[in-house]
Structure formats: structure tokens, C-alpha cells
Amino acid sequence: MQDATFEDGKGEGPLRLRAESADDLAVLSALVQDAVGKVANVQYAPRRRRFSLLLYRFRWEDEARAKRERRPFERVAAALTVDDVLRVRAAGLDPREKEAVFNLLGLTFEPGEDGAGRLVLACSGGVTLSLDVECLSVGLVDLTRPWAAGGQPQHF
């Protein structure tokens, strides 16, 4: 079996999206639902005010086509970056356990004053990353070609 390529996707290319509003963030949240990552791939650069993480996201945008064509579902490595970050807090996650894996369930924004607020990354098992931000500025970029996923994520 050979991994799929973006070229196989009939005009599809790697995602390169930005969210600067709650509506934009809802789209990114849907695309990163069920993405997995390792604690070692979570980075916060306070001087640059940038938070980033490497994810292996399920390609929900390809789900219907994969079913129709009776081919494997896909995953792709992607970078999720957040700019203008003032503070990061983690609950239920030990930053010293670099090999620990988390499953991202969704992104939400809790607005504050003058465009500032809190971006919340909710993960399974009660893990939460909370980012105090000056404004909402989130990017999602696919980094690799898709590969065959082990299966479709199941929600119970």
C-alpha cells in the first residue's frame, strides 16, 4: 500500500489557514479535532510571544471522499501556531514527560477586553492548555504529505 499524495486529491493542496475571529477559529477547531501530539513538540517562546505545536491531524476534509473511493483515511503532520501570547498554562499535563501523547479535541476562544482573551485547547483526559492572548491570531499549516491513517477516530 502506498501513502496518498496531495496531488491525488484532485486539486487539493496542503492547508495554510489563519484564524483571527471566533468564526475562523471554529473552522480550525474542526480541522484539528482528533489530532494527536507529543508533549516534546509543544513550544512556547515568551520573548517572541509565540506558542506552537506539532500535530498529526486526521484529515476530516477528506473523510467523505475516502469513504466514497473506499480508500484509507489520512493523517498529515501540521503546525499550529499562536501569536501574541502573553501567558501559557497547562492542566493535566506534565511538561517533563516529553513522550506523553495528547489528543486535541477542539479550540475555543474566551474573549476579554479590547480583542484580548483566552484561547483554550481542550484535549482528552481532561488535559487543557490555556493561552492568554493579546488578540486572536492562530495559524494552521500542513507540513507533510498525507499518509494512510490507522482508522477513523471514534467518538463515544
Side-chain angles (χ1 to χ4, degrees):
M1 178 183 295
Q2 185 177 0
D3 285 345
T5 66
F6 281 116
E7 292 78 18
D8 294 335
K10 298 180 180 74
E12 277 187 35
L15 292 183
R16 186 173 187 84
L17 302 172
R18 187 138 207 89
E20 295 179 347
S21 71
D23 290 340
D24 295 344
L25 189 65
V27 173
L28 289 190
S29 182
L31 290 167
V32 298
Q33 181 181 350
D34 298 309
V36 293
K38 277 188 177 179
V39 171
N41 296 327
V42 176
Q43 302 292 319
Y44 175 48
R47 285 189 194 155
R48 292 185 63 205
R49 299 185 342 160
R50 176 173 269 196
F51 174 86
S52 60
L53 55 113
L54 174 65
L55 298 169
Y56 303 100
R57 70 176 192 83
F58 184 82
R59 292 189 67 227
W60 286 107
E61 71 275 19
D62 184 61
E63 175 196 24
R65 182 179 296 144
K67 284 180 180 177
R68 206 171 38 252
E69 295 175 2
R70 297 180 183 195
R71 62 172 170 77
F73 298 113
E74 299 173 345
R75 282 197 180 267
V76 64
L80 184 74
T81 58
V82 184
D83 292 313
D84 301 309
V85 178
L86 305 172
R87 181 178 174 191
V88 175
R89 290 182 300 260
L93 191 69
D94 185 346
R96 296 170 300 195
E97 291 185 30
K98 299 293 186 192
E99 294 303 309
V101 175
F102 59 88
N103 178 19
L104 185 57
L105 300 176
L107 311 171
T108 56
F109 183 65
E110 300 167 359
E113 292 184 24
D114 298 326
R118 178 170 295 140
L119 177 66
V120 178
L121 289 75
C123 303
S124 62
V127 172
T128 304
L129 298 169
S130 298
L131 286 63
D132 293 338
V133 295
E134 189 172 43
C135 62
L136 189 58
S137 182
V138 183
L140 177 66
V141 177
D142 286 345
L143 302 173
T144 64
R145 292 181 178 200
W147 64 83
Q152 182 177 13
Q154 300 296 313
H155 299 130
F156 300 102

